[in-house]
Amino acid sequence: MTGPVMRVRFAPSPTGYLHVGNARLALINFLCARRHGGRFLLRLDDTDAARSTEAYAEAIGQDLQWLGLEWDETFRQSARLDRYAEAAETLKRAGRLYPCFESEEELRAKREQRLKRGQAPVYDRAMLKLTAEQRAAAEAGGKRPYWRFRLSDGAVAWDDLVLGRRQVKLGAVSDPVLIRADGTPLYSFCSVVDDLDSAVTHVIRGEDHVTNTGVQLDLLAALGGDPARLRFAHLPLLLDEKGEKLSKRLDGLSLRRLRTDGVEPAAITAYLARLGSARDPVPARLDELIADFDFAHFSTAPARFDIAQLQALNRRVLHGLGFAEVASRLPPGATEAFWRAVRGNLDLLGEARGWWEVVAGTIVPPVIEGEGEFLRVALETLPLEPWDAEVWTTWTEALKLRTGRRGRALFQPLRLALTGEDHGPDLRTLLPLIGRARAAQRLQVAAA
Ligand code: GLU
């Protein structure tokens, strides 16, 4: 059986930089579309003109491209205001959109009263009873209405691809405001019109939208859409390592920030693809993540975002990267042999710069107290060039015989003298890259 082509959308508001929470949803939309031969739409929810900026809109595109999440189609809500106005007229004609005049204070007072009486703080629909005269009087007094959608009675249910059967009782939700007094339409409304018009088949978003889904399915039907043709997948929220909502810390977890910190995009996508599933993240390319994608992998419990886990995965991803994949980001002159020697020792690619200094630059090692004699013998024993790949072994074997030293006592002063560091890549691969002239000079300095 062939159904309609799958169409999914990632719909950020350009009111800030994308963070790992957004990126996860973008990724899952992308993977789902690619897995099923569908289309991935990027929609910018930018009707909030006061908070949306062009700079953020551009940054969203750049960040998605950096992650490798190419979209097939894109559009902005701000370009569709006429269409939303038209849809609003349809709702008005059907008696589903009604004007309201209550101020924020009035609404708050009503809510408090209802709570005192032990009732749910739901809007009482007082304005549904407004007569034409009352409305005219309010408008004559300079007030302009905002518009609420009259929800249906009963409940709306759907089979969520992640959460399973879900239901929203519409009586427990206030009639939502769809149009502000200044005429601007709100996200909840625009989103439904867009999902209809752009023939979206699957809405994949955060669990915080579950109640919205109930409302939006009702709205969709009121606009002539068929709720049965839209599937939903709500992904559980992200928590931090301590189990608190991640949303408070998201600024520090923007893609921009991770990028300047030097985290690999492939580590981010591989991490986010398995976050919230029972499977540990492993290094994987996007095509592997696509082939592996299945909603059934996701748990219904909140997912824990652990930056330390992402960093650990970043290490593993780096170790697996070939020279061609990183050459443009390595210091000028860095060779494939250099990359092979150091990649196993990096947390972040940027650290390669320091090792390039060790190999090809002019680092100054510390003077190593009490090791002067040993280092002078080491210098005398250092083989003459040409060197082969075994030079480290040849040299240290000779040193072992001359000094009787072995293990840490033998290697540690050499490592510190040659690299200026306590830890690092295998000296067997590093020494030939450092070369005899640099090695000799550093041994001399450290022995002084
Ligand atoms: N702009 C909305 C948000 O970022 C989109 C939600 C949706 O996917 O419908 O929360």
Side-chain angles (χ1 to χ4, degrees), residues 9 11 13 45 187 191 205 209:
R9 84 294 191 284
S13 300
D45 287 358
Y187 148 76
S191 183
R205 58 186 177 185
H209 283 288

Side-chain angles (χ1 to χ4, degrees), residues 416-433:
L416 194 54
L418 294 173
T419 69
E421 303 285 340
D422 287 330
H423 299 282
D426 191 350
L427 285 166
R428 227 173 324 183
T429 47
L430 218 50
L431 182 61
L433 296 170

Side-chain angles (χ1 to χ4, degrees), residues 219-301:
L219 187 49
L220 184 90
L223 287 168
D226 177 3
R229 293 172 69 161
L230 197 56
R231 304 291 316 265
F232 286 86
H234 291 93
L235 285 140
L237 296 185
L238 295 187
L239 304 178
D240 66 15
E241 307 85 349
K242 296 196 206 90
E244 286 171 26
K245 269 198 194 161
L246 194 67
S247 45
K248 293 181 213 119
R249 288 184 32 199
L250 285 174
D251 278 352
L253 292 173
S254 71
L255 293 177
R256 294 273 138 151
R257 180 68 178 274
L258 294 173
R259 184 178 182 169
T260 31
D261 287 352
V263 180
E264 298 301 303
I268 298 177
T269 47
Y271 181 66
L272 294 177
R274 289 206 167 177
L275 190 61
S277 78
R279 304 178 312 157
D280 285 333
V282 288
R285 293 188 314 268
L286 279 180
D287 58 328
E288 294 166 326
L289 298 178
I290 292 168
D292 188 51
F293 181 79
D294 190 337
F295 280 117
H297 291 145
F298 293 100
S299 142
T300 57

Side-chain angles (χ1 to χ4, degrees), residues 99 101 125-139:
F101 291 95
R125 292 184 163 164
M127 289 288 139
L128 258 185
K129 297 176 206 100
L130 197 72
T131 63
E133 292 78 48
Q134 285 169 320
R135 177 173 173 188
E139 283 179 314

Side-chain angles (χ1 to χ4, degrees), residues 335-348:
T335 58
E336 177 156 11
F338 165 75
W339 174 243
R340 285 177 176 282
V342 302
R343 66 179 171 182
N345 276 80
L346 307 176
D347 286 329
L348 298 166

